[in-house]
Amino acid sequence: MQKRSMMILPLATAFVLAGCSGTVEYGSGVAPTASTTQSPAPVSSENSILSDEQAMKVVEQLLGDAEGAHILTTEELRAQSQAMKQQFDGVQVEPAKCRQVLAGSSLSDLGTSTQVVGTSQTASSSRTYQVISLDDTKLDTVRQLLQPDSFDGCEQVTEHVKGQDIERQIKTLQTNLAADQASAFQLTTTGPQGSNTTAVAVSVQGLHGNEYVSVTDVVMSTHGGEEVDVQQVLSSLAKNANKAFAALESMR
């Protein structure tokens, strides 16, 4: 499990794990800021990394006029990722071998790859689109991370955070993406004690050529409230992921 240290969970779900679900906070966090990064000139070589500008166009198409939308680009995500990793340092995880599964995505491990994340949110739910144009040297690593055994032994995890326990349940789902390799999962977060809120994250992720795409929905619900229709959500996520892959393919 230790070798899977980079991107078991998409960054969208890493935000949930780092406390953005409203369940418990690991630390002060880093608020997203408007982009001040200069976008590099677009590239067209088949094996070249797409620019922030190109990846952003795809994310903007997916977001449309969604409520509460904002976008983070490569350099902003580097800082965000490092901040989450620092916050996670003080968290005790049981089983201990599952710590890397919950560590989420780290852009610092992606070399010169480009990454853009777009999110939209309401009072009780959010959707996140993640597009990464990968450095050739990172493709084999990502292929390993998308293997179906990524969560083996970590389907049920407890985190101890500031004297409080948080329960995570991870379940592998089936999905059909227009990609070379794909996976999907459901992550249910409950706690801490005394809280009546549950966060359900459903995510699809895939790799096609040099492009990695993930689409994640997070729904907050109170105990005894309406259950999330996982299959309906999964279908919507897959449709949007395929739309992203088609848009990325048109840029090659």
Side-chain angles (χ1 to χ4, degrees):
M1 187 63 66
Q2 290 298 318
K3 69 181 180 180
R4 290 183 163 89
S5 59
M6 188 214 21
M7 204 169 57
I8 297 293
L9 304 180
L11 185 62
T13 311
F15 288 156
V16 178
L17 298 175
C20 293
S21 64
T23 305
V24 65
E25 293 187 9
Y26 293 168
S28 59
V30 176
T33 58
S35 174
T36 57
T37 306
Q38 291 286 338
S39 296
V43 293
S44 58
S45 173
E46 183 175 352
N47 294 319
S48 297
I49 299 168
L50 297 179
S51 67
D52 270 13
E53 182 180 25
Q54 289 172 303
M56 189 182 299
K57 286 181 179 178
V58 175
V59 171
E60 286 174 343
Q61 290 175 17
L62 295 171
L63 283 171
D65 57 357
E67 180 181 350
H70 67 265
I71 294 176
L72 296 176
T73 54
T74 302
E75 291 305 317
E76 293 167 326
L77 287 162
R78 289 183 193 275
Q80 192 90 343
S81 177
Q82 291 300 320
M84 287 192 298
K85 288 174 68 176
Q86 291 174 9
Q87 292 173 21
F88 198 60
D89 285 345
V91 177
Q92 182 182 351
V93 177
E94 295 179 2
K97 69 175 185 177
C98 300
R99 183 175 185 83
Q100 292 299 337
V101 175
L102 297 180
S105 174
S106 172
L107 191 63
S108 62
D109 294 324
L110 290 179
T112 59
S113 303
T114 294
Q115 180 175 197
V116 173
V117 169
T119 65
S120 62
Q121 55 187 351
T122 65
S124 60
S125 66
S126 67
R127 172 165 291 190
T128 303
Y129 302 99
Q130 181 180 17
V131 173
I132 304 176
S133 186
L134 287 158
D135 177 340
D136 283 343
T137 64
K138 301 300 179 181
L139 288 173
D140 285 343
T141 301
V142 174
R143 290 186 186 112
Q144 282 188 334
L145 299 174
L146 289 173
Q147 293 297 321
D149 64 347
S150 294
F151 301 126
D152 283 359
C154 296
E155 293 84 359
Q156 182 93 31
V157 176
T158 301
E159 294 178 32
H160 306 287
V161 187
K162 297 181 179 180
Q164 298 175 315
D165 289 349
I166 300 174
E167 302 295 330
R168 315 269 192 200
Q169 291 182 319
I170 304 175
K171 178 182 178 182
T172 301
L173 304 174
Q174 297 297 317
T175 189
N176 185 20
L177 297 185
D180 303 328
Q181 193 174 353
S183 66
F185 66 88
Q186 175 184 340
L187 170 66
T188 303
T189 301
T190 306
Q193 186 174 4
S195 169
N196 68 340
T197 303
T198 297
V200 178
V202 181
S203 183
V204 298
Q205 52 187 333
L207 177 68
H208 185 64
N210 281 59
E211 273 66 71
Y212 166 92
V213 171
S214 73
V215 187
T216 303
D217 269 7
V218 180
V219 179
M220 305 295 297
S221 64
T222 57
H223 294 173
E226 184 177 353
E227 292 188 1
V228 176
D229 187 336
V230 174
Q231 290 305 313
Q232 182 177 357
V233 172
L234 194 62
S235 176
S236 174
L237 299 180
K239 180 179 179 180
N240 279 271
N242 286 333
K243 182 179 178 180
F245 280 125
L248 290 164
E249 184 70 22
S250 71
M251 295 180 176
R252 292 296 186 182

